[in-house]
Amino acid sequence: VALLAGIVVIHEAGHYLAARSFNISVVEFSIGFGPKIVGFEALGNEFNLRALPLGGFVRFPENYNVTKVEQQQEAARQAFMNRRKEENWTLW
């Protein structure tokens, strides 16, 4: 069980770190399922250990707006293209 829990921690930490590195909000990082045994809040997130250590999850906000994210990505792409034109970059 300890080995499985260790693998789950590493796996879920990957999801958590990837989301945070892309500025995606995370509500909760939990190891296990079922009722919460112990938890704490840090970095604007809730970290929990739950009763059944057979998995885990990273919970994102329910109001995650895909359209807004796509608009932000398009704005970033346009800003990059405009900068490329202004600085007269060449693509060999």
Side-chain angles (χ1 to χ4, degrees):
V1 174
L3 179 62
L4 178 61
I7 292 170
V8 169
V9 167
I10 292 169
H11 176 86
E12 295 304 326
H15 291 294
Y16 176 81
L17 294 172
R20 293 295 299 245
S21 69
F22 284 99
N23 294 322
I24 297 173
S25 297
V26 174
V27 174
E28 180 181 2
F29 176 91
S30 285
I31 299 303
F33 297 106
K36 180 169 65 170
I37 295 174
V38 65
F40 64 93
E41 288 192 27
L43 306 172
N45 305 117
E46 186 177 346
F47 295 86
N48 296 314
L49 179 63
R50 294 180 176 267
L52 302 171
L54 301 174
F57 61 92
V58 175
R59 185 165 52 100
F60 300 100
E62 294 177 14
N63 64 351
Y64 187 70
N65 187 338
V66 174
T67 304
K68 183 176 180 181
V69 171
E70 289 172 348
Q71 290 171 345
Q72 290 172 338
Q73 289 174 340
E74 179 61 23
R77 188 182 76 72
Q78 285 298 326
F80 173 79
M81 296 302 284
N82 290 340
R83 182 172 173 218
R84 188 177 133 205
K85 287 179 185 176
E86 289 171 4
E87 295 180 5
N88 202 17
W89 291 357
T90 58
L91 299 176
W92 300 40

